[in-house]
Amino acid sequence: MQSQYDPKSVEQEAREYWERTGAFRAQDPPVGGARPKFYCLSMFPYPSGKLHMGHVRNYTIGDVMSRFYRMRGYNVLQPMGWDAFGLPAENAAMANGVPPAKWTYDNIAYMKKQLQSLGFAIDWERELATCDPDYYRWNQWLFLRMLEKGLVYKKTGTVNWDPVDQTVLANEQVIDGRGWRTGALVEKREIPMYYMAITKYAEELLGALDTLSGWPERVKTMQANWIGKSHGVNIGFPYELGGERKLLRVFTTRADTLMGTTFCAVAAEHPLAALAAKSDKNLAAFVDECKRGSVMEAELAQLDKKGMPTGLFVAHPITGEKIEVWVGNYVLMAYGEGAVMGVPGHDERDFAFAKKYGLPIKSVIDVEGRPYSIYAWQPWYADYGKCVNSGKYNGLDYQGAVDAIAADLKKKDLGDKQVTWRLRDWGISRQRYWGTPIPIIHCDACGDVPVPDKDLPVVLPEDLVPDGTGNPLAKTPSFLNCICPKCGKSAKRETDTMDTFVDSSWYFMRYACPDQAKAMVDERAEYWMAVDQYIGGIEHAILHLLYSRFWTKVMRDLGLVKVDEPFARLLTQGMVLNEIFYRKSGDGRITYLNPAEIELKVDDKGVRVGAMLRSDGKPVESDGIGTMSKSKNNGVDPQDLIEKYGADTARQFMMFASPPEDTLVWSDSGIEGASRFLRRLWRTVYEHVVEGLAPAYSGGALSPELRALRFELHSTVAKVTDDYARRQQYNTAIAAVMEFMNALAKLSDASALARSVRQEALQVVVLLLSPIVPHICHALWRELKPAGDVMREPWPQVDESALVQDEVELVLQVNGKLRGHMRAPKSAGREQLEKLALAHESVTRFTDGQAVKKVVVVPGRLVNVVV
RNA sequence: GCGAAGGUGGCGGAAUUGGUAGACGCACUGGAUUUAGGUUCCAGCGCCGCAAGGCAUGGGGGUUCGAGUCCCUUCCUUCGCACCA
């Protein structure tokens, strides 16, 4: 055995062994059927160029789980693929003049090498890329099935329009309301798009959250709020137009405040706004102003509340009172009816709006014991209470008032109770090149004609280079021009492609049968689904996970799979953030500096006192912390780490740095510790092995020292196993092993018995660590058990007999303050413990002469004496 | 703005069910070995205090024999907000 740990040779040898033995191949049934299956999946990466720290974190967590379950006897599937369509490839193409396909495939090749160098136990035979026609043809195929079932339909949607480049922009391409390339003010534009009717599944998507016991509560809460089921009343405010009676419809969850309505507000896109703008230039200008800027809801919600009267009036549905209709920039066309009733007395936004424009404010709810004044908003104004100033509804509580008002409206045919969802149907059309072509043909005679199944896939040409002006597919006749499958006349293809969320909504099923040419999925998907453990960034808590749940249910209803939910257990890993450094030049331009080039200065207590650029030694400014991004130049390439320390050190450091679900602010200051620990582990095994192997301890009388060590050892096995299986918290698992190694290092006994305990201990340690640092454990295991394979070893068992103790240490408190410790027989009862404690010196010192009021005994933990 | 989560030493974090706050590691300080060291080993390390002891888990208040953990309130940070993936 080598006396020194050499990560490079150890890791290369282990990887060659794994490859030679096909160690990571998952067995499809019936071969794999004897063992229980475990499908462990990490979210597939977008092939952006290189792995980043978030990838390393994500895939290490997944690999630790995969290897742990493999050792526990499961038939484990851990696949990998590429979320290969998307905007960055088009941006790179514009920057470098390279087609997105080539850029993407080059990135895949590089990143695959990186993943392999980290030693992940991936079954590469199932690799897939979503930009492969063999994959995306099934996007198209399912789209057509959904179209047949009415789950796909066409309607207009709002997009960001760059008037200079004449192109649709993604939200991230709009910066401060301007196009990122042209700097032109962005406009909203209505265009026809295809939608998937996810709202038809809203009720099930919401209800089934209760069945997801393996999901974090916070994710389920976020999804439930996103779906947003609300019970309310749909109310019609009547008005006359051209002699015809019409209704302005609003939805409200606070129908009990209807009598406090002093105005109505509609979105700028609302038909009434358009109507009024026809005859009012100022209003037309305001509506135009509202239509400027991006479509991002976060931005809209933070705009200053602005409005303008339309000059139109509607009638209050109960009193018939005249109510003015305003256009408000805070009313969203996409939610509810695109119009709201304004109740400034009891809605904070309406209150601010009314104050700004001098609209009347009327209090109609009395929250008991809370005063009301129209001059300043108070949080309780929005609380439930009893109706006042509300005519016949006076005195009713919330539910009573809602019931009565809904009933009255129904009688007049002006409204009814209604359930509304915040969830909107999923617009999947993208006016972009690098995505799945939507399989539709536009024929002048026949309209929109679906591409027949026999003509699938509609293949995306791979040699186009976008230039930022419009969709290159629309400028490519060989793609655009086609024959109408219905009438045979010349026709045009749809040039929009699908949202890339479509690609990622079912890839986890395709891993089961990536070679299946005749169907989207087959019986192998039936075997592997659902995913037993899914791991990915918390940033996907809503959209990706919700869309995947939706697609799974659609596929189920089409008879393709039987599962209701795709992911049984979910681990949402926290973001990896990093500090942002910059310098401001004389003309105010900001240059962001990569943290790898920054050196931190510390004082003699280790406290940070400054930061400087390594190359010139001059100070730099800090701009706080944020997600690793190109624009802030605060990304860290894991490759340096892997090359300098090896994959195992990188993996261990990542897992030790924080619990998987926590946000992690990057710092490489602990990497030396990880490296040091592995070197020490190697040396400890080496020193044992050179003395000659011993049979692992299997019973017999032990000295107190050896008994104590075995107690530590088996406590560690129990703790670490629980951390892997239940808690999924690897930092504490590693800490527990470190703690045990510290105890083992103190063992000086060199007897044969001690050597066998040490042999047992080292074997257990190597097994416990092998999911996290598999290469070094592979090598060490072969030294401890020549010709053995650590991956094929069963997980260590806790020896319960080693955990038996007859004495325990208890904490002594006086008035809740720690005053000492005492040892007591484990079997001691409450009364005996109380007696021992009251007589104990550390207690009497503090209770001396005072009357004991109460004694709290927690057996096995503490005794608290209250005086 | 709305929804979700988080805040503990100089730093990452531990404390799993209301029961010893700071495990484990980094950094730092002192020492030994080596003198080739970005090696290894030993010791110290929340703050105040000579000590006894006191204080301390973002801030303020509360419940409890006992609160990092529960409740109220407030500030700050991160994630998501439907065309980044």
Side-chain angles (χ1 to χ4, degrees):
Chain A
M1 182 182 179
Q2 295 277 325
S3 64
Q4 296 291 314
Y5 169 45
D6 173 29
K8 219 168 222 154
S9 61
V10 163
E11 291 180 3
Q12 193 182 332
E13 211 238 287
R15 274 198 297 276
E16 278 167 14
Y17 173 85
W18 293 329
E19 191 166 333
R20 198 166 63 239
T21 56
F24 310 141
R25 205 171 295 135
Q27 302 291 338
D28 287 320
V31 186
R35 292 171 293 161
K37 64 99 182 175
F38 190 82
Y39 185 1
C40 184
L41 181 67
S42 293
M43 290 180 187
F44 62 170
Y46 178 79
S48 54
K50 310 184 223 180
L51 293 188
H52 55 66
M53 285 298 168
H55 291 131
V56 175
R57 193 180 193 194
N58 196 156
Y59 302 135
T60 303
I61 295 167
D63 198 48
V64 170
M65 290 184 183
S66 294
R67 288 173 178 273
F68 173 69
Y69 279 94
R70 195 182 300 271
M71 289 173 79
R72 295 203 115 191
Y74 289 82
N75 178 29
V76 174
L77 168 59
Q78 179 174 233
M80 185 56 69
W82 309 94
D83 189 12
F85 275 138
L87 198 52
E90 296 193 35
N91 296 339
M94 279 184 256
N96 312 321
V98 179
K102 175 164 170 37
W103 182 84
T104 302
Y105 285 117
D106 287 352
N107 289 348
I108 287 174
Y110 182 76
M111 290 170 75
K112 183 174 178 182
K113 255 193 205 148
Q114 285 191 301
L115 288 174
Q116 286 170 326
S117 78
L118 278 158
F120 296 136
I122 290 164
D123 183 351
W124 283 104
E125 289 177 18
R126 296 166 188 265
E127 181 180 4
L128 60 80
T130 57
C131 62
D132 184 339
D134 289 338
Y135 182 80
Y136 66 69
R137 70 176 296 171
W138 301 109
N139 289 349
Q140 297 171 340
W141 183 83
L142 200 79
F143 173 94
L144 295 172
R145 300 293 83 73
M146 289 170 77
L147 190 67
E148 287 161 5
K149 292 196 78 180
L151 288 170
V152 162
Y153 65 95
K154 205 175 182 183
K155 70 167 181 183
T156 59
T158 317
V159 294
N160 304 306
W161 180 255
D162 185 321
V164 173
D165 267 351
Q166 294 283 301
T167 198
V168 175
L169 297 178
N171 282 335
E172 77 158 12
Q173 295 173 315
V174 180
I175 295 156
D176 298 329
R178 291 172 182 275
W180 67 328
R181 279 157 48 86
T182 63
L185 279 173
V186 168
E187 299 162 10
K188 296 190 187 77
R189 186 171 267 212
E190 304 276 322
I191 59 166
M193 306 212 297
Y194 286 95
Y195 283 81
M196 291 194 170
I198 190 171
T199 53
K200 287 194 179 169
Y201 283 81
E203 194 78 64
E204 191 190 346
L205 288 167
L206 180 67
L209 288 172
D210 290 337
T211 68
L212 299 176
S213 57
W215 281 40
E217 280 307 316
R218 62 167 160 165
V219 175
K220 289 192 276 187
T221 308
M222 279 192 267
Q223 291 218 349
N225 291 339
W226 183 265
I227 295 167
K229 183 177 191 175
S230 55
H231 298 267
V233 179
N234 190 306
I235 301 174
F237 288 72
Y239 63 98
E240 291 222 347
L241 187 68
E244 222 180 305
R245 183 171 174 276
K246 300 207 163 192
L247 291 178
L248 171 63
R249 294 210 156 271
V250 305
F251 172 81
T252 179
T253 57
R254 290 302 303 270
D256 59 320
T257 65
L258 176 61
M259 301 307 279
T261 303
T262 58
F263 66 95
C264 281
V266 299
E269 296 86 358
H270 195 278
L272 268 191
L275 179 75
K278 270 189 205 158
S279 52
D280 181 341
K281 259 196 214 153
N282 288 335
L283 185 66
F286 178 67
V287 166
D288 271 352
E289 187 193 321
C290 290
K291 285 181 180 173
R292 271 206 289 278
S294 87
V295 298
M296 280 179 81
E297 201 166 298
E299 246 163 55
L300 295 172
Q302 281 171 81
L303 292 175
D304 284 340
K305 311 273 167 289
K306 271 194 196 168
M308 194 173 265
T310 59
L312 303 172
F313 288 83
V314 292
H316 190 285
I318 303 289
T319 65
E321 211 177 327
K322 264 177 92 177
I323 291 193
E324 188 163 33
V325 179
W326 285 60
V327 177
N329 67 349
Y330 67 101
V331 184
L332 298 179
M333 194 60 212
Y335 184 66
E337 301 281 355
V340 297
M341 62 183 209
V343 187
H346 302 284
D347 180 278
E348 192 170 0
R349 284 180 313 173
D350 293 347
F351 185 90
F353 193 80
K355 277 279 167 202
K356 183 163 182 177
Y357 294 107
L359 297 166
I361 297 172
K362 194 175 160 196
S363 168
V364 292
I365 301 292
D366 176 42
V367 178
E368 212 175 333
R370 298 289 201 156
Y372 195 97
S373 155
I374 62 165
Y375 296 105
W377 176 263
Q378 301 293 344
W380 60 85
Y381 292 180
D383 288 351
Y384 292 153
K386 288 223 152 45
C387 290
V388 291
N389 301 322
S390 300
K392 62 186 273 208
Y393 307 112
N394 281 344
L396 292 175
D397 65 4
Y398 169 76
Q399 200 55 55
V402 170
D403 290 346
I405 287 170
D408 287 348
L409 291 172
K410 195 170 182 180
K411 264 182 248 156
K412 295 182 173 189
D413 213 14
L414 289 177
D416 203 350
K417 284 192 180 173
Q418 188 190 7
V419 170
T420 321
W421 303 87
R422 211 189 73 95
L423 182 69
R424 308 198 290 259
D425 277 342
W426 174 16
I428 59 144
S429 296
R430 297 291 179 270
Q431 298 68 46
R432 271 180 251 300
Y433 158 49
W434 192 234
T436 303
I438 292 177
I440 294 285
I441 288 166
H442 303 291
C443 169
D444 287 340
C446 311
D448 297 347
V449 183
V451 173
D453 285 359
K454 66 173 174 55
D455 295 337
L456 295 183
V458 176
V459 176
L460 188 72
E462 292 199 352
D463 53 353
L464 306 185
V465 180
D467 62 3
T469 64
N471 185 343
L473 291 175
K475 306 176 209 164
T476 305
S478 57
F479 178 83
L480 185 65
N481 298 322
C482 62
I483 301 296
C484 172
K486 234 182 194 171
C487 66
K489 292 194 190 116
S490 67
K492 304 258 185 249
R493 271 189 203 289
E494 170 68 51
T495 58
D496 281 359
T497 53
M498 295 184 198
D499 181 3
T500 55
F501 273 124
V502 170
D503 308 326
S504 55
S505 289
W506 70 281
Y507 73 108
F508 41 87
M509 301 204 201
R510 189 67 184 175
Y511 280 137
C513 47
D515 54 359
Q516 177 52 264
K518 299 215 154 60
M520 190 171 184
V521 289
D522 62 26
E523 69 285 350
R524 287 172 291 175
E526 203 57 60
Y527 170 75
W528 286 109
M529 289 299 290
V531 173
D532 295 282
Q533 176 70 59
Y534 198 34
I535 307 128
I538 182 67
E539 70 274 21
H540 295 292
I542 296 174
L543 291 179
H544 163 61
L545 291 171
L546 192 62
Y547 291 146
S548 297
R549 296 181 60 217
F550 165 59
W551 263 59
T552 300
K553 290 174 193 301
V554 169
M555 286 177 69
R556 175 201 63 196
D557 291 347
L558 287 165
L560 297 167
V561 285
K562 291 203 187 78
V563 284
D564 294 311
E565 288 286 339
F567 314 120
R569 196 174 181 186
L570 174 70
L571 186 145
T572 46
Q573 79 164 340
M575 303 288 293
V576 181
L577 310 178
N578 204 357
E579 187 158 0
I580 300 159
F581 293 102
Y582 70 97
R583 268 187 189 157
K584 226 176 197 169
S585 59
D587 57 355
R589 256 223 308 255
I590 286 178
T591 313
Y592 289 100
L593 301 159
N594 194 279
E597 281 137 37
I598 304 297
E599 197 156 307
L600 300 178
K601 284 185 280 189
V602 295
D603 65 13
D604 60 3
K605 280 185 178 158
V607 181
R608 174 171 161 184
V609 291
M612 60 181 200
L613 188 64
R614 216 168 266 143
S615 58
D616 62 12
K618 289 183 188 146
V620 297
E621 306 290 313
S622 172
D623 190 26
I625 52 167
T627 319
M628 289 190 178
S629 73
K630 267 202 180 120
S631 59
K632 296 285 169 85
N633 190 18
N634 65 336
V636 175
D637 188 352
Q639 201 59 32
D640 303 343
L641 228 56
I642 298 166
E643 271 156 32
K644 187 165 175 201
Y645 296 97
D648 280 338
T649 299
R651 291 169 61 119
Q652 195 208 310
F653 169 60
M654 250 310 178
M655 292 302 92
F656 188 56
S658 75
E661 308 213 82
D662 285 12
T663 299
L664 171 63
V665 180
W666 176 254
S667 155
D668 58 10
S669 62
I671 188 84
E672 290 291 345
S675 175
R676 194 173 302 156
F677 174 71
L678 294 185
R679 285 199 300 267
R680 194 167 359 195
L681 173 68
W682 183 277
R683 204 170 50 242
T684 308
V685 172
Y686 171 77
E687 282 164 6
H688 174 73
V689 167
V690 289
E691 296 287 316
L693 294 175
Y697 173 82
S698 59
L702 294 173
S703 67
E705 189 192 18
L706 290 175
R707 262 186 62 191
L709 190 72
R710 286 198 82 239
F711 174 81
E712 290 296 317
L713 176 64
H714 286 275
S715 307
T716 304
V717 173
K719 156 84 181 149
V720 171
T721 305
D722 185 47
D723 278 347
Y724 276 116
R726 180 179 63 88
R727 299 219 301 157
Q728 303 188 318
Q729 194 172 293
Y730 310 107
N731 54 330
T732 47
I734 294 168
V737 175
M738 286 175 166
E739 229 176 321
F740 175 73
M741 288 292 287
N742 290 343
L744 182 65
K746 294 199 178 92
L747 178 70
S748 51
D749 191 339
S751 67
L753 199 54
R755 292 190 44 71
S756 72
V757 169
R758 192 189 298 271
Q759 175 86 25
E760 178 197 18
L762 289 173
Q763 285 183 10
V764 165
V765 162
V766 168
L767 290 170
L768 292 180
L769 288 175
S770 66
I772 294 169
V773 284
H775 309 87
I776 188 174
C777 290
H778 171 83
L780 293 177
W781 187 259
R782 293 217 291 202
E783 299 296 344
L784 288 165
K785 280 197 125 181
D789 177 353
V790 71
M791 274 186 76
R792 291 168 196 271
E793 285 296 321
W795 192 250
Q797 294 285 313
V798 177
D799 178 358
E800 297 292 342
S801 71
L803 298 181
V804 177
Q805 274 185 310
D806 19 276
E807 262 199 340
V808 285
E809 191 170 71
L810 287 118
V811 166
L812 296 174
Q813 294 182 335
V814 177
N815 288 344
K817 284 195 197 290
L818 174 70
R819 295 302 182 188
H821 301 265
M822 70 171 186
R823 295 196 70 83
K826 194 163 188 190
S827 55
R830 282 171 180 275
E831 274 160 42
Q832 194 186 347
L833 288 172
E834 183 172 333
K835 229 160 132 191
L836 283 168
L838 285 171
H840 201 276
E841 189 268 334
S842 354
V843 172
T844 52
R845 262 174 72 210
F846 291 91
T847 55
D848 197 30
Q850 298 175 74
V852 173
K853 274 202 239 163
K854 185 176 180 183
V855 180
V856 181
V857 181
V858 184
R861 280 209 181 263
L862 59 73
V863 180
N864 184 16
V865 179
V866 186
V867 292

